[in-house]
């Protein structure tokens, strides 16, 4: 399990693996964040990763800007803080 903190909103949640992505976890916690394709290709869901590490599934093609992650297809490897 990992602790996920959305810094701007002040929301924290435990990652249990119940959701497919950090975006789905954010939505389950009541956050409304930008997204587009939900596959990591459009990069609309990117947010700055303040701390921690994430993993991506094989097959996603999007590349986020430096220091950002794609919420729609990433999962936490460690505790993470996201600037959202």
């Amino acid at each position: 399990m990992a602790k996920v903190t959305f810094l701007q909103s002040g929301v924290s949640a435990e990652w249990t693996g119940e959701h497919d992505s950090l975006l789905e976890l954010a939505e389950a916690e009541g956050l409304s964040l930008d997204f587009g394709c939900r596959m990591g290709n459009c990069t609309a869901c990117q947010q700055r990763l303040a701390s921690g590490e994430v993993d991506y599934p094989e097959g996603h093609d999007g590349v986020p800007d430096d220091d950002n992650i794609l919420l729609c297809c990433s999962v936490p490897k460690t505790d993470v803080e996201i600037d959202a």
Side-chain angles (χ1 to χ4, degrees), residues 6-79:
F6 298 94
L7 296 172
Q8 288 185 27
S9 64
V11 171
S12 291
E14 288 294 321
W15 177 263
T16 63
E18 175 183 344
H19 302 286
D20 289 335
S21 67
L22 285 166
L23 177 62
E24 287 185 10
L25 175 64
E27 291 172 333
E29 294 296 320
L31 299 178
S32 179
L33 302 174
D34 290 340
F35 67 89
C37 68
R38 289 191 181 261
M39 298 177 351
N41 297 324
C42 73
T43 69
C45 66
Q46 70 177 317
Q47 296 286 337
R48 188 179 76 81
L49 180 64
S51 69
E53 295 180 51
V54 299
D55 272 333
Y56 291 99
E58 290 184 31
H60 89 282
D61 293 327
V63 178
D65 295 339
D66 289 346
D67 299 324
N68 287 356
I69 59 171
L70 302 175
L71 291 180
C72 75
C73 60
S74 62
V75 298
K77 249 175 102 166
T78 64
D79 290 352

